[in-house]
Amino acid sequence: MKKQSTTIISIILIIIIAIFAVANTASVAVNLLFAKFQLPLILLILVCFLIGALIIYLLSFSNHLKQDKELKELRASKVDPKQLQKLQNQVKDLLKENARLKETNAQLKKAADKPAGGSQQN
């Protein structure tokens, strides 16, 4: 949908610029640093428009190249599903081992906290 609306807006702008250019057919003097010449205003308007469009295209093209490069880097860094499953299984195993160690630690603390006096009270 975005591409369609962009195309429609572009066509409308081109039509407006063409109408504006056709309405301005007088000859004008163009003074460049090294040359001076007469040119119909319609050609001057269209040439300036095309130069501007070319500049915008080149700037957007460089941005597009950067995005493509980032996308390729992201795709290359994607983790293999088998490797991901293996790592997830390792995490589960480590969590189970951690729980067992905590339980053992709690039992050892209980045993250390019990009074050692069962045989000494006689």
Side-chain angles (χ1 to χ4, degrees):
M1 186 70 175
K2 181 180 179 185
K3 192 171 187 178
Q4 290 175 343
S5 62
T6 304
T7 304
I8 291 170
I9 290 171
S10 298
I11 290 171
I12 291 171
L13 286 174
I14 289 171
I15 291 171
I16 290 171
I17 290 170
I19 291 170
F20 180 74
V22 170
N24 294 290
T25 57
S27 185
V28 294
V30 178
N31 186 10
L32 298 175
L33 295 175
F34 53 87
K36 204 178 216 186
F37 53 92
Q38 292 286 333
L39 186 68
L41 187 56
I42 187 170
L43 288 178
L44 183 62
I45 291 170
L46 291 176
V47 167
C48 290
F49 172 74
L50 291 175
I51 290 172
L54 180 65
I55 290 170
I56 290 172
Y57 174 76
L58 291 175
L59 291 175
S60 68
F61 185 71
S62 67
N63 190 26
H64 180 70
L65 289 177
K66 287 178 190 176
Q67 288 177 346
D68 278 351
K69 181 180 176 185
E70 289 177 8
L71 183 61
K72 285 179 184 177
E73 288 174 359
L74 287 173
R75 285 184 178 162
S77 68
K78 190 175 180 182
V79 177
D80 182 32
K82 291 179 182 178
Q83 185 180 7
L84 180 62
Q85 184 64 39
K86 182 179 175 183
L87 292 172
Q88 287 174 340
N89 289 338
Q90 286 179 347
V91 168
K92 286 179 186 177
D93 292 341
L94 289 171
L95 288 173
K96 287 177 185 177
E97 184 180 353
N98 189 20
R100 280 195 317 267
L101 290 173
K102 283 182 179 180
E103 185 179 322
T104 304
N105 190 22
Q107 289 174 354
L108 289 173
K109 281 185 180 180
K110 262 189 201 178
D113 290 344
K114 281 187 181 179
S119 61
Q120 290 180 351
Q121 288 187 4
N122 287 340

